[in-house]
Amino acid sequence: MTDFPIDWRAVVDEAIRRRKEEGFTQRQLALIAGVSVPTVNSFEQGETGLQFERVILILEALGLFLRPSAPDSLGAFVHKARRRWEELASSLPENHPARQPFGHSEYAYAIQGIRTPGLRVLRKALADLSSHSGLAPFWIPPRREAHIEPETDIMEYWAAEGNANQHILDAANSDFWQLDGEGQVYLQRGYQEDGRGNLEPGTIFDLTSPIRRTAEFLLFAAGTARLFGGDSKAGIHLTARYTGLEGRTLLSWTQPLLRIALEQHHRARTSRVDLDIVTDVGAVESDLVSLTETFLVPLYERFDGYRLPTDLVAAQIRELPNR
């Protein structure tokens, strides 16, 4: 017998209590955790035959499990940012589009080897960098709309704040981001494909958007490093998460003429994927195509093993501003 027995029913009951406290339905929890609705239902019924990793994903989504990591790591920063978004979103009506009910993407990065000048100066510098470079992986609004949380020394912006029943008409316009004094950035964004007036939400996944977004984030991180004295060896750690993938079909939606690149239907068979790469400024500046392609391989593999063509990655990156 183990010296640390687990009261499974107590764990399940606490998870159910936390889910209801956060205002999540089983479907919403499944999307956040990256598991199926039947898995959440089975867990809440107290079944003990579930895969351990799926149980961990559910508990992690509810803030009841934190994977081991250094206190100042990017992983810890991302975890806290997710919890903050969940806290904010819980104030919205259940079916509000800013809850991103059909899934979302998350991107985050940390830069090693630089010294940042504090949040307010950093915010202005990033806004200027975005303006001068033409790269805009996330929108940096006027100062009054992005505020600093005094207890955490983190600047955040949530597009739905104050607009719960007004301007946010679809998930694509419900950005949430955080920026800390070390220059770490987190962005959560609903899918443009799920926007109002498009095809049925949750049914398609754009072929090229992840390419451009990944390249933009890598370039923006490298530009930030250079801005604050980093050399070519300054490290960049980029992570991403895509949720709500299961059942979506890969489609060149934003660039219809590229549909010839897809000779057959490719449908996602799993709900979530996590992406991660550690590189440096020099590699971003000299080998962006390879880095972007490598980073995205696990995402596209979810779509019936689709292999992302290198030529397509290169073509999309050439279309970015100032490339």
Side-chain angles (χ1 to χ4, degrees):
M1 180 180 293
T2 177
D3 292 333
F4 303 98
I6 296 175
D7 186 339
W8 184 245
R9 189 65 250 177
V11 171
V12 171
D13 288 345
E14 175 59 21
I16 294 172
R17 186 196 68 78
R18 181 69 66 89
R19 174 176 67 78
K20 292 180 178 179
E21 182 181 80
E22 297 287 350
F24 297 148
T25 64
Q26 286 189 344
R27 185 178 188 280
Q28 289 168 333
L29 175 57
L31 279 170
I32 294 170
V35 300
S36 67
V37 175
T39 295
V40 172
N41 183 264
S42 296
F43 169 76
E44 294 193 351
Q45 292 296 321
E47 293 187 18
T48 57
L50 297 173
Q51 291 183 11
F52 180 71
E53 177 61 21
R54 293 184 180 181
V55 173
I56 292 299
L57 289 172
I58 293 171
L59 296 178
E60 186 180 26
L62 293 169
L64 296 174
F65 181 85
L66 180 61
R67 296 177 188 270
S69 59
D72 59 345
S73 71
L74 179 61
F77 171 70
V78 168
H79 176 80
K80 291 177 182 178
R82 287 177 184 144
R83 297 299 299 161
R84 174 61 175 161
W85 177 82
E86 291 165 7
E87 175 188 340
L88 292 170
S90 67
S91 67
L92 297 174
E94 182 175 332
N95 295 321
H96 195 280
R99 280 182 175 263
Q100 302 168 351
F102 297 98
H104 61 261
S105 67
E106 305 171 22
Y107 274 77
Y109 68 71
I111 306 170
Q112 291 83 41
I114 65 169
R115 298 186 65 179
T116 54
L119 271 177
R120 297 187 187 280
V121 175
L122 180 61
R123 176 203 167 280
K124 184 179 185 306
L126 294 184
D128 290 344
L129 175 63
S130 178
S131 175
H132 294 155
S133 68
L135 296 169
F138 59 97
W139 182 57
I140 302 176
R143 183 176 301 176
R144 65 181 181 277
E145 296 183 34
H147 57 274
I148 295 176
E149 293 293 317
E151 295 182 2
T152 59
D153 196 33
I154 286 176
M155 180 174 289
E156 70 176 32
Y157 169 75
W158 186 40
E161 188 168 23
N163 296 322
N165 298 301
Q166 301 177 44
H167 308 302
I168 304 300
L169 301 178
D170 56 56
N173 296 304
S174 59
D175 282 10
F176 169 76
W177 59 254
Q178 285 194 340
L179 167 69
D180 75 0
E182 300 299 318
Q184 295 185 122
V185 169
Y186 171 86
L187 168 70
Q188 180 170 317
R189 174 176 291 167
Y191 294 121
Q192 188 178 2
E193 303 93 304
D194 296 340
R196 191 182 188 193
N198 297 326
L199 298 177
E200 183 180 350
T203 60
I204 64 171
F205 186 83
D206 186 53
L207 174 66
T208 58
S209 293
I211 300 172
R212 296 191 300 274
R213 183 161 303 161
T214 297
E216 281 188 334
F217 262 93
L218 286 169
L219 288 169
F220 200 74
T224 303
R226 290 292 194 187
L227 193 63
F228 294 106
D231 60 19
S232 62
K233 295 182 180 180
I236 296 172
H237 184 189
L238 178 70
T239 69
R241 171 176 289 182
Y242 282 81
T243 72
L245 297 175
E246 188 171 8
R248 290 179 183 265
T249 299
L250 199 59
L251 180 69
S252 182
W253 177 71
T254 57
Q255 297 181 325
L257 294 180
L258 286 176
R259 285 179 182 166
I260 57 173
L262 296 170
E263 298 177 353
Q264 62 187 50
H265 289 294
H266 295 268
R267 180 167 294 178
R269 306 299 175 180
T270 56
S271 182
R272 191 183 92 183
V273 64
D274 291 295
L275 311 172
D276 188 281
I277 196 169
V278 177
T279 184
D280 58 44
V281 170
V284 171
E285 294 173 344
S286 65
D287 201 13
L288 183 60
V289 171
S290 177
L291 288 175
T292 301
E293 182 180 356
T294 299
F295 183 74
L296 291 173
V297 164
L299 169 62
Y300 287 95
E301 283 181 341
R302 264 51 178 187
F303 292 85
D304 290 328
Y306 179 74
R307 296 182 63 86
L308 189 62
T310 302
D311 289 348
L312 178 61
V313 178
Q316 291 298 304
I317 289 176
R318 283 196 299 270
E319 293 180 5
L320 293 176
N322 298 324
R323 294 300 295 172

